[in-house]
């Protein structure tokens, strides 16, 4: 008989787990695992494919074999999630003690750390869970022990509670503590609200449920697999909504439910609960959700910092460093944080960054939220592009703040005839919204450039083009950054982060966040978001500015990829130039550019004529250089 483990969760709940009930069949021969480890140490550094091939040849498990190698290895390379999650490190047998931790592309670190602890439950998932639990209880209620039955009923109670604020016949404001629930007419109608964990639990009357015990039961009993499995079988027999369940299984819904319960056990001040009620106008379906948003990564990252000998954050777009420090280790004394910035491998004369404040007809560029949609501004940008295609060789990438704005501009250019003028010189491509379509568009873009006609890519900051794709050499001879791509202030998650960071300025205590407005309701209203920003004195506002400039730095860095590369960088907005006296201000956009760009930036020109002349001279000089190098070879 197999050895078993018994766990008692109290009140007639006794869970039995058998050991070695589902072990990897390739682990039966321990001798082969030892031979795999010995053979691996004889090889050079091996990637995943190499390890898999060696495992196949030796007929043993490469996954567990590589795990056994980790404690003795001098260098271990692993994804963010495996490094930052304490449970993942423990399961891998990875100790950071006396280790040097190097985190590359560290500009993504804070967001990744927080998003790892986010949790989201949609209306459809909750309805799916509710239906599955009811079916399971209806079938097995008389066969379950009292303790098991009680825990499953608690899960049903929680599911019903979570559905309450999302129900179509209720006003969302009624779940928010502090508003006038007796007289709903006095409460502001809204699409989303945010609240602290405790307020959320109290408002739904589920504060008396011991979530820690429930989570222990879920983990030890394997109940979510049992209930979801039964639910899938019932749905299959009834052939109910086969299409609806293709993309999201019941098990996925239950895992999201479990993640939400884990999130609700966090400290009250670590994050916020966001309740959103949105409905699709086309289908009539409700797309509401409950989401837990983690706001502070400092405590999570301190586990890594405290254990490791040293931590090195590396990246080409870490500026402005203050934002990273504020979010990851605000508790660290400044003398323990060393910042090193070096010049780019590309020589200064290989870049031509210009702040373009005026268009060809003399109109000042202002792509702020209130002005960017004006016909005059969009047409002036079109005139600029019509001129650029005549002076810039090969590829041009134009970055817009959002897909919506890119669509607006492209439509206006099509209607006015400007697009036809541009296409006469270069083919125009647009970054697709679907990631699966990006590769094909890039292939066509490259072919157009290689055909010597040249091409323009209309891209979006924060999209696929701005993040992970390199546009070296002819793929991008000019980057055009349209305006300052501030994130939308109507985003409730962003506003909660801003309020939380601003709250640190008032107190060093671990207080959750400060309320900068009378309530925490937003219905996607941009002006309400701007109201929050105006209430910020320093840190929240600076964080918002830093998000913008990090996005700028990340995007324009796509063009310069090696020592022999060269490109022009056009920052199209009067705010990049402005009054010379204001450039001493820390918050001025130019002060948050990388040093290798800032030192070469031409802040002001007399008009577009100067810009055109500078670009003409730059590319003519580079063309002469390349011709002489070719002749020498």
């Amino acid at each position: 008989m197999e050895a078993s483990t018994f766990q008692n969760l109290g009140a007639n709940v006794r869970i039995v787990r058998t050991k070695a009930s589902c072990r990897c069949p390739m682990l039966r021969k321990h001798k082969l695992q030892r031979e795999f480890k010995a053979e691996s140490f004889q090889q050079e550094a091996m990637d995943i494919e190499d390890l898999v091939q060696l495992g196949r040849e030796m007929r043993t498990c490469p996954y567990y074999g590589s795990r056994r190698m980790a404690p003795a290895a001098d260098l271990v390379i692993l994804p963010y999630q495996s490094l930052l999650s304490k449970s993942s490190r423990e399961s891998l047998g990875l100790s950071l003690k006396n280790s040097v931790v190097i985190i590359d592309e560290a500009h993504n670190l804070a967001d990744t750390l927080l998003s790892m602890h986010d949790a989201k439950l949609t209306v459809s998932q909750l309805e799916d869970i509710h239906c599955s639990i009811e079916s399971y209880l209806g079938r097995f209620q008389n066969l379950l022990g009292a303790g098991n039955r009680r825990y499953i009923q608690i899960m049903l109670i929680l599911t019903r509670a979570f559905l309450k604020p999302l129900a179509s016949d209720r006003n969302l404001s009624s779940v928010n503590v502090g508003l006038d629930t007796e007289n709903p007419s006095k409460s502001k109608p809204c699409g989303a609200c945010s609240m602290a964990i405790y307020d959320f639990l109290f408002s739904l009357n589920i504060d008396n449920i011991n979530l820690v015990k429930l989570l222990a039961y879920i983990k030890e009993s394997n109940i979510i697999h049992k209930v979801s499995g039964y639910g899938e079988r019932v749905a299959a027999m009834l052939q109910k909504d086969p299409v609806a369940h293709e993309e999201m299984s019941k098990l996925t819904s239950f895992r999201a439910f479990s993640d939400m319960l884990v999130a609700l056990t966090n400290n009250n001040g670590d994050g916020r609960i966001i309740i959103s009620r949105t409905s699709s106008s086309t289908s009539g379906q409700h797309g509401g959700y409950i989401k837990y948003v983690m706001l502070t990564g400092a405590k999570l990252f301190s586990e890594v910092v405290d254990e490791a000998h040293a931590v090195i954050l590396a990246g080409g777009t870490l500026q402005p460093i203050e934002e990273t420090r504020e979010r990851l280790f605000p508790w660290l004394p400044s003398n323990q944080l060393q910042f090193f910035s070096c010049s780019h491998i590309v020589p200064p004369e290989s870049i031509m960054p210009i702040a373009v404040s005026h268009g060809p007809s003399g109109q000042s560029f202002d792509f702020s939220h209130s002005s960017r949609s004006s016909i005059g501004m969009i047409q002036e940008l079109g005139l600029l592009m019509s001129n650029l295609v005549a002076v810039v060789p090969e590829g041009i990438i134009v970055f817009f703040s959002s897909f919506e704005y890119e669509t607006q501009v492209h439509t206006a250019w099509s209607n006015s005839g400007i697009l036809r003028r541009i296409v006469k010189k270069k083919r125009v491509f647009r970054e697709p919204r679907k990631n699966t379509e990006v590769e094909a568009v890039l292939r066509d873009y490259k072919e157009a450039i290689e055909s010597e006609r040249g091409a323009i890519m209309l891209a979006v900051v924060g999209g696929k083009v701005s993040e992970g794709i390199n546009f070296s050499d002819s793929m991008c001879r000019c980057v055009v950054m349209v305006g300052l791509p501030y994130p939308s202030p109507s985003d409730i998650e962003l506003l909660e982060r801003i309020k939380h960071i601003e709250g640190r300025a008032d107190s060093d205590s671990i207080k959750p966040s400060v309320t900068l407005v009378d309530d925490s309701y937003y219905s996607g209203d941009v002006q309400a978001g701007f109201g929050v920003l105006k209430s910020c004195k320093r840190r929240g506002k600076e964080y918002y500015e830093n998000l913008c400039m990090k996005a700028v730095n990340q995007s324009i860095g796509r063009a310069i990829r090696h020592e022999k590369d060269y490109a022009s960088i056009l920052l199209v907005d009067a705010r990049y130039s402005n009054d010379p006296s204001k450039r001493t201000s820390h918050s001025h956009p130019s002060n948050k550019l990388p040093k290798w760009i800032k030192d070469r930036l031409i802040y002001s020109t007399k008009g577009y004529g100067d810009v055109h002349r500078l670009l003409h001279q730059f590319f003519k000089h580079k063309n002469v250089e390349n011709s002489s190098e070719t002749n020498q070879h």
Side-chain angles (χ1 to χ4, degrees), residues 16 19 38 62 94 113 128 137 147 194 199 252 304 372 417 427 477 512 514 519 541 559 573 576:
V16 183
K19 289 183 179 177
L94 194 66
L113 189 63
D128 213 11
L137 271 176
S194 78
D199 289 342
T252 304
V304 175
R372 67 185 179 198
R427 281 190 65 187
R477 290 303 181 201
V514 291
D519 56 53
K541 187 177 179 182
D573 198 297
Y576 284 110

Side-chain angles (χ1 to χ4, degrees), residues 191-259:
C193 78
S194 78
M195 56 210 312
I197 294 175
Y198 293 171
D199 289 342
F200 175 71
L201 296 174
F202 281 121
S203 67
L204 296 181
N205 200 26
I206 52 176
D207 55 293
N208 58 339
I209 293 175
N210 190 326
L211 296 177
V212 175
K213 269 196 171 184
L214 177 60
L215 282 165
Y217 169 77
I218 289 172
K219 182 180 179 182
E220 297 297 333
S221 67
N222 207 25
I223 189 64
I224 65 173
H225 287 81
K226 294 173 184 175
V227 177
S228 61
Y230 179 73
E232 294 283 6
R233 287 195 296 274
V234 170
M237 285 191 297
L238 297 174
Q239 292 186 332
K240 183 183 177 182
D241 277 344
V243 177
H245 288 78
E246 276 182 12
E247 292 184 8
M248 187 162 293
S249 68
K250 292 184 186 296
L251 182 57
T252 304
S253 298
F254 272 92
R255 282 177 175 158
F257 177 72
S258 179
D259 289 343

Side-chain angles (χ1 to χ4, degrees), residues 100 205 280 388 411 500 582 585:
V100 175
N205 200 26
S280 171
L388 288 182
T411 302
H500 178 80
K582 292 182 181 177
S585 166

